[in-house]
Amino acid sequence: MADVLIVSLGSTAGLRAADAELADSLRRSGASVELVRARPPRPVRTLMLTDMRWAQSARSVTEPALRALNPKSVLYSSTTASLFGPRTGAIRFDAPSAANRPGRHGLWQRPLERRRLARAPLLLPWSEAGLRETGLDGAPAVVLPVPVESSGPAGERDIAAITYAANPAKKGLARILAAWREARRPGEELVVAGAPASGEGVRAVGLLAPDEYRALLRRARVFVSAPRREDYGVAQLEALADGCRLVSAPAPGPYVALPIARALDPRLVGEDLAGALRLALDAPEDGYADRARVALEDFSRRAIDQTVRDRVLPVLLR
């Protein structure tokens, strides 16, 4: 028996980490929780078929878990995990297919997703903007961000800039590298995590364990970002939590760090990425890290646990 069965799509490291955090928060709030993850399907060429394979994989791990555990409630993490779900459940998501699967890319996903979201007893979007993208006004929903906290004491800020680009096209790596070529001064280094990159003053470190990556953030002065679309932006929030100044181009999507960055220093958000980089490196505003820490209070585990205890569990277990 379990109170809550979490069905995790887990298609990225960020989703897997977010689902583990959610399970831990539910347990700290007194619920018994089991988490099952979809098995990665064989790569295919189109987003439509990719989503179908992932949804089928999620169903294949959900059915035996339901028989074995008979949970009081099912919570699907990502709308894709819910599409072929054998039992209606709560749905947690960063952004819906209605927004990030335009045109033919979401031909079958969007209508099925809308039906699943409309029937869910509870929606748990990562952000208000993500909820708005569903177009479901008045749906039972609780905004539940992914917790983000400092990973430890800051070290010497000996890295000028850092970026994370596990999906180089989506994260705008080419634009970031072009801005760095224009903005860089001798001796300055841009560290690229998650993807190959080269150039003068560029060091690619590949995919790192979370602790290793966060240790680099604590050494960096600036985190630079230029996504084509940002469904949430955990990497940017982690950078702010670890004391980096956030330089970013504007981007569509529920990019929760973007308004925070604008409020902290509007000079560092704009289309002139190279100019913003030089401002962040040469003329940083006083107290940026302290103000960022205050801005991230709602993303603390303490705040998330209170929301789970007061507003989420009562619905899941009724």
Side-chain angles (χ1 to χ4, degrees):
M1 294 287 291
D3 291 326
V4 182
L5 170 66
I6 298 176
V7 180
S8 168
L9 194 71
S11 54
T12 67
L15 285 174
R16 292 190 293 273
D19 293 340
E21 286 278 4
L22 175 60
D24 287 343
S25 182
L26 287 164
R27 292 181 184 118
R28 288 192 296 268
S29 299
S32 59
V33 179
E34 291 291 336
L35 186 150
V36 295
R37 286 198 175 100
R39 291 179 288 271
R42 180 173 57 85
V44 290
R45 294 183 61 184
T46 68
L47 280 175
M48 285 195 296
L49 191 53
T50 295
D51 287 344
M52 180 173 291
R53 293 284 178 84
W54 274 106
Q56 289 169 336
S57 180
R59 182 184 178 99
S60 74
V61 298
T62 304
E63 289 176 324
L66 288 174
R67 291 192 296 269
L69 300 169
N70 190 26
K72 295 178 182 178
S73 184
V74 179
L75 196 163
Y76 296 99
S77 183
S78 95
T79 59
T80 302
S82 75
L83 293 179
F84 298 154
R87 176 173 154 185
T88 300
I91 303 175
R92 192 177 192 215
F93 58 94
D94 53 359
S97 296
N100 63 18
R101 293 289 189 270
R104 61 183 175 82
H105 299 296
L107 197 61
W108 70 270
Q109 302 98 308
R110 292 191 302 268
L112 180 55
E113 172 189 80
R114 187 172 181 85
R115 294 196 295 273
R116 292 287 184 259
L117 291 171
R119 278 190 239 150
L122 182 65
L123 304 182
L124 294 171
W126 291 16
S127 66
E128 289 282 359
L131 178 61
R132 286 195 298 272
E133 286 191 331
T134 68
L136 295 173
D137 297 330
V142 175
V143 173
L144 192 66
V146 176
V148 175
E149 296 184 340
S150 169
S151 64
E156 179 186 356
R157 298 286 174 177
D158 58 339
I159 297 171
I162 188 170
T163 192
Y164 178 78
N167 184 329
K170 185 176 180 181
K171 297 302 182 184
L173 180 58
R175 184 177 181 186
I176 291 169
L177 293 174
W180 183 246
R181 286 194 296 271
E182 180 181 345
R184 177 183 179 268
R185 289 180 181 164
E188 292 179 336
E189 181 181 61
L190 169 69
V191 171
V192 178
S198 61
E200 192 171 359
V202 175
R203 176 164 59 102
V205 295
L207 287 171
L208 299 173
D211 289 347
E212 295 176 283
Y213 170 68
R214 297 296 296 270
L216 288 177
L217 289 180
R218 297 197 302 273
R219 294 170 51 196
R221 294 157 63 193
V222 173
F223 184 95
V224 57
S225 179
R228 291 188 307 178
R229 170 188 160 88
E230 190 59 85
D231 290 338
Y232 188 71
V234 169
Q236 293 91 325
L237 292 173
E238 288 177 340
L240 288 171
D242 279 332
C244 299
R245 293 181 287 279
L246 176 56
V247 167
S248 182
Y255 187 179
V256 296
L258 191 63
I260 296 174
R262 282 197 176 110
L264 291 171
D265 189 344
R267 304 174 304 158
L268 307 188
V269 178
E271 297 296 342
D272 181 9
L273 210 59
L277 268 166
R278 283 276 35 114
L279 281 170
L281 291 168
D282 296 340
E285 286 201 351
D286 292 339
Y288 187 101
D290 291 335
R291 290 183 286 113
R293 195 174 302 113
V294 172
L296 294 178
E297 286 179 352
D298 288 344
F299 296 86
S300 69
R301 288 188 179 91
R302 176 192 54 77
I304 303 304
D305 284 355
Q306 183 172 342
T307 300
V308 167
R309 184 172 56 252
D310 295 347
R311 302 184 59 197
V312 176
L313 266 184
V315 177
L316 294 180
L317 301 186
R318 68 186 175 193

